[in-house]
């Protein structure tokens, strides 16, 4: 027997079926999958599939729709209101650098009274725009001002492997669905290869399923930046009406899917405030207890 441990951010896992299908006597039915819950209690997670913006418009961040004045206006309002509500860092992940630049020009230097920092394409160290410099500036603003907003890109350096623990990320939002470039030659050939494998009766994803899985792995990676240890807590917003559909949210990590529900942003805000208040109060009490001198130390 063999046991393989993988991170929850590798969901959906169906693309790995060919790896164990070729083990000779091992049939797909003999492989048992177990997906554990998150180490934090459910009360530490707030999750919503946000379908409509504050103005009531359907959130639709498909490439042909997202640059409309209405969608940008709704997104700006969401960022402003979320930043003003969040007691700490707010991070918004975008599907591309081009779209991030478009929205960043609308947002400006502050949102909801918080400083806004923007991830840049690869730049030299010392320019103030490297990943390390952006991260340090963001962390400093969160700790000195009580909060800040970071606008980053799904699949870029800030979306993977960065430890945004505790107050550095009390809210993470994914804007739209970060599908790969459908015109990329490598992607086209990979999808054709998978379709050919499927037509021959072999296990694994079809080209279309692989394309979708690449997208959802990016979403799960971004969401994973938020809760980093057993005492951590955060709010998670997936911004697009498509997240409320079963074929999309069925590919979200199980621990998040169990907590998430579809909602308009207008309905989300009061629930979000209640969540933050419920988490900040215990943290404040614990800090006060830790700060009180003990008799042993007198």
């Amino acid at each position: 027997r063999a046991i393989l441990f993988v991170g929850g951010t590798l969901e959906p896992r169906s693309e790995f079926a060919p790896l164990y299908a070729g083990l000779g006597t091992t049939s797909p039915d003999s492989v048992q999958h177990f997906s554990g819950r998150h180490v934090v209690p459910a009360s530490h997670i707030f999750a919503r599939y946000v379908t409509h913006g504050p103005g009531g418009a359907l959130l639709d961040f498909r490439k042909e729709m997202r640059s409309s004045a209405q969608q940008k206006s709704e997104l700006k309002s969401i960022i402003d209101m979320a930043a003003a509500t969040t007691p700490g860092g707010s991070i918004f992940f975008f599907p591309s650098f081009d779209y991030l630049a478009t929205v960043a020009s609308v947002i400006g230097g502050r949102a909801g009274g918080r400083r806004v920092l923007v991830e840049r394409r690869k730049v030299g160290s010392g320019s103030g725009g490297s990943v390390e410099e952006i991260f340090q500036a963001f962390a400093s603003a969160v700790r000195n001002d009580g909060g800040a907003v970071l606008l980053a890109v799904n699949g870029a350096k800030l979306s993977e492997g960065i430890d945004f623990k505790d107050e550095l990320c009390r809210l993470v939002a994914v804007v739209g669905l970060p599908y790969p470039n459908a015109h990329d030659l490598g992607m086209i050939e990979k999808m054709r290869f998978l379709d050919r494998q499927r037509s021959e009766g072999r296990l694994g994803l079809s080209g279309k399923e692989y394309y979708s899985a690449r997208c959802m792995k990016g979403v799960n990676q971004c969401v994973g930046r938020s809760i980093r240890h057993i005492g951590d807590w955060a709010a998670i917003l997936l911004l697009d009406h498509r997240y409320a559909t079963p074929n999309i949210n069925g590919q979200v990590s199980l621990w998040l899917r169990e907590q998430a529900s579809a909602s308009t942003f207008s309905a989300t805000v009061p629930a979000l405030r209640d969540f933050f208040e419920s988490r900040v109060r215990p943290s404040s009490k614990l800090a006060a207890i830790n700060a009180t001198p003990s008799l042993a130390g007198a």
Side-chain angles (χ1 to χ4, degrees), residues 23-95:
L23 298 180
T25 58
T26 302
S27 69
D29 294 336
S30 70
V31 178
Q32 302 297 316
H33 294 288
F34 171 78
S35 183
R37 271 58 179 177
H38 209 293
V39 295
V40 304
S43 60
H44 287 209
I45 303 169
F46 177 95
R48 294 291 187 275
Y49 307 129
V50 183
T51 59
H52 294 73
L58 186 73
L59 293 181
D60 188 347
F61 293 108
R62 288 176 294 176
K63 190 171 184 179
E64 64 272 20
M65 301 293 293
R66 64 194 184 200
S67 294
S68 70
Q70 184 183 58
Q71 291 295 302
K72 287 190 289 186
S73 176
E74 293 281 28
L75 183 54
K76 182 180 186 304
S77 296
I78 289 173
I79 294 174
D80 282 337
M81 296 171 72
T85 303
T86 303
S90 302
I91 306 176
F92 289 79
F93 287 104
F94 289 77

Side-chain angles (χ1 to χ4, degrees), residues 45-53 57-61 71 75 78 82 91-95 154 171-178 215-226 234-265 268 272:
I45 303 169
F46 177 95
R48 294 291 187 275
Y49 307 129
V50 183
T51 59
H52 294 73
L58 186 73
L59 293 181
D60 188 347
F61 293 108
Q71 291 295 302
L75 183 54
I78 289 173
I91 306 176
F92 289 79
F93 287 104
F94 289 77
N154 191 306
L171 181 143
V172 60
V174 181
V175 180
L177 287 156
C215 167
M216 296 310 298
K217 277 184 170 57
V219 172
N220 290 326
Q221 285 281 354
C222 289
V223 167
R225 300 308 96 215
S226 59
I236 299 158
L237 306 179
L238 301 182
L239 307 177
D240 197 297
H241 76 280
R242 291 173 291 171
Y243 282 111
T245 61
N247 63 314
I248 296 297
N249 61 50
Q251 300 180 71
V252 172
S253 294
L254 177 64
W255 65 268
L256 176 59
R257 192 165 70 243
E258 288 184 332
Q259 301 300 319
S261 60
S263 175
T264 65
F265 189 74
T268 296
L272 184 62

Side-chain angles (χ1 to χ4, degrees), residues 1-283:
R1 295 180 180 275
I3 299 175
L4 178 64
F5 293 94
V6 298
T9 54
L10 289 180
E11 291 281 6
R13 60 175 178 259
S14 51
E15 71 172 284
F16 302 118
L19 298 181
Y20 55 74
L23 298 180
T25 58
T26 302
S27 69
D29 294 336
S30 70
V31 178
Q32 302 297 316
H33 294 288
F34 171 78
S35 183
R37 271 58 179 177
H38 209 293
V39 295
V40 304
S43 60
H44 287 209
I45 303 169
F46 177 95
R48 294 291 187 275
Y49 307 129
V50 183
T51 59
H52 294 73
L58 186 73
L59 293 181
D60 188 347
F61 293 108
R62 288 176 294 176
K63 190 171 184 179
E64 64 272 20
M65 301 293 293
R66 64 194 184 200
S67 294
S68 70
Q70 184 183 58
Q71 291 295 302
K72 287 190 289 186
S73 176
E74 293 281 28
L75 183 54
K76 182 180 186 304
S77 296
I78 289 173
I79 294 174
D80 282 337
M81 296 171 72
T85 303
T86 303
S90 302
I91 306 176
F92 289 79
F93 287 104
F94 289 77
S96 70
F97 276 106
D98 289 339
Y99 187 53
L100 169 58
T102 298
V103 175
S105 66
V106 175
I107 300 298
R110 299 190 73 81
R114 307 295 198 187
R115 182 182 176 189
V116 175
L117 294 108
V118 181
E119 184 175 16
R120 307 294 183 188
R121 296 182 192 270
K122 186 176 181 180
V123 293
S125 179
S127 65
S130 69
V131 169
E132 293 78 12
E133 289 164 331
I134 291 292
F135 176 78
Q136 291 301 328
F138 173 70
S140 178
V142 169
R143 289 163 178 156
N144 294 334
D145 304 331
V149 177
L150 177 62
L151 307 182
V153 173
N154 191 306
K157 290 188 176 180
L158 285 172
S159 70
E160 300 178 3
I162 302 296
D163 194 15
F164 289 103
K165 65 181 180 180
D166 299 323
E167 73 275 8
L168 292 184
C169 184
R170 291 307 188 199
L171 181 143
V172 60
V174 181
V175 180
L177 287 156
Y179 285 104
N181 181 1
H183 301 292
D184 177 75
L185 182 59
M187 177 59 66
I188 292 171
E189 290 303 317
K190 175 72 172 182
M191 292 172 67
R192 286 175 177 168
F193 170 77
L194 292 173
D195 286 337
R196 188 164 58 251
Q197 294 285 94
R198 176 70 73 85
S199 69
E200 294 172 356
R202 300 186 185 183
L203 291 176
L205 302 179
S206 67
K208 185 177 180 180
E209 289 168 343
Y210 173 75
Y211 185 70
S212 180
R214 282 285 305 274
C215 167
M216 296 310 298
K217 277 184 170 57
V219 172
N220 290 326
Q221 285 281 354
C222 289
V223 167
R225 300 308 96 215
S226 59
I227 299 177
R228 309 298 293 174
H229 58 82
I230 196 168
D232 213 348
W233 50 271
I236 299 158
L237 306 179
L238 301 182
L239 307 177
D240 197 297
H241 76 280
R242 291 173 291 171
Y243 282 111
T245 61
N247 63 314
I248 296 297
N249 61 50
Q251 300 180 71
V252 172
S253 294
L254 177 64
W255 65 268
L256 176 59
R257 192 165 70 243
E258 288 184 332
Q259 301 300 319
S261 60
S263 175
T264 65
F265 189 74
S266 297
T268 296
V269 171
L272 184 62
R273 290 197 182 107
D274 289 344
F275 170 74
F276 285 142
E277 289 177 3
S278 72
R279 298 313 320 154
V280 169
R281 281 198 299 269
S283 299

